[in-house]
Amino acid sequence: MRVFADGAKEGSPATLRFRVPSEKADATTVRVDVTLPKGVTFTDAPPASGWTRKETPSPEGGATQIMWTATAGHELKPDEHRYFDVRVGPLPKKASIAFDVAQTYSDGSVVNWNEQQTGTKMPDFPAPVLVLDATAAKVEQTRQEASAQPTTTAVASPTPAAAQEEGAGVASWLPWAVAGAAVLGAGAVVAIRRKTAPNRA
């Protein structure tokens, strides 16, 4: 799931293009729901051939849900994709904007594309994100990755006097130094899973 907007920038209207893939091998995509976050105002949406459209204001205010439903014979088949366009008012002053998209399949299962990335781990169903300020967005991503990295605490070796008091000499701190080196030398292992749609509702 991706979102694009040619020439999008803070404070200007834009046309959002949501690229929706149909990833299940044994079902078709029959409905797509896009929820706009606060600060992003729906103005219009061009017709999507073979699909009906309905807009529902959010009860909380400031957000709108746009729902497309496929008519008979126009469902998205496995491995197909299509674009759904949404016109919005001036975009807020943010480095990036994440959207919540729900994808419904013919077998009744729903995939919620709304997971946020934390650190270097890529979620299975990431929310589509529109980047408005690439530099600021990169800084934020770097900050998140740094905060997700494990921290290590150095183990200070005892002074000769302390070692003598314990009567153990070098042997008293060597195992701890080796353990500390092992911790410092351990690399971060990142598990990346391929995004697949669930087989059950």
Side-chain angles (χ1 to χ4, degrees):
M1 180 72 65
R2 296 289 186 271
V3 60
F4 306 91
D6 292 339
K9 59 182 180 180
E10 300 173 352
S12 297
T15 297
L16 310 176
R17 305 200 73 200
F18 292 88
R19 183 186 186 277
V20 179
S22 197
E23 297 184 331
K24 296 196 70 173
D26 55 355
T28 58
T29 297
V30 297
R31 175 174 160 177
V32 175
D33 295 74
V34 173
T35 300
L36 303 179
K38 290 183 179 181
V40 179
T41 305
F42 172 82
T43 59
D44 191 16
S49 177
W51 292 66
T52 61
R53 189 188 81 239
K54 178 182 179 181
E55 297 90 40
T56 305
S58 170
E60 293 79 12
T64 299
Q65 184 183 68
I66 304 98
M67 177 181 71
W68 290 271
T69 304
T71 59
H74 292 85
E75 303 87 350
L76 274 180
K77 297 180 177 62
D79 294 328
E80 289 184 346
H81 72 272
R82 75 164 298 162
Y83 290 90
F84 294 90
D85 295 350
V86 179
R87 297 189 182 106
V88 297
L91 295 171
K93 293 184 177 181
K94 292 185 177 181
S96 61
I97 305 172
F99 298 87
D100 188 340
V101 181
Q103 180 179 12
T104 303
Y105 284 90
S106 57
D107 61 2
S109 62
V110 178
V111 175
N112 292 303
W113 298 87
N114 59 5
E115 298 175 356
Q116 301 295 321
Q117 181 175 351
T118 56
T120 57
K121 180 178 175 57
M122 177 64 69
D124 291 332
F125 302 102
V129 176
L130 178 66
V131 176
L132 299 178
D133 187 332
T135 300
K138 181 62 177 177
V139 169
E140 176 62 18
Q141 180 183 359
T142 302
R143 186 192 66 78
Q144 292 181 358
E145 291 177 355
S147 64
Q149 294 298 320
T151 57
T152 58
T153 303
V155 179
S157 60
T159 62
Q164 290 176 1
E165 291 176 359
E166 296 176 358
V170 175
S172 65
W173 57 267
L174 182 58
W176 296 101
V178 173
V183 171
L184 293 174
V189 179
V190 180
I192 302 177
R193 293 184 292 174
R194 182 181 182 272
K195 299 185 291 296
T196 56
N199 289 322
R200 296 183 298 175

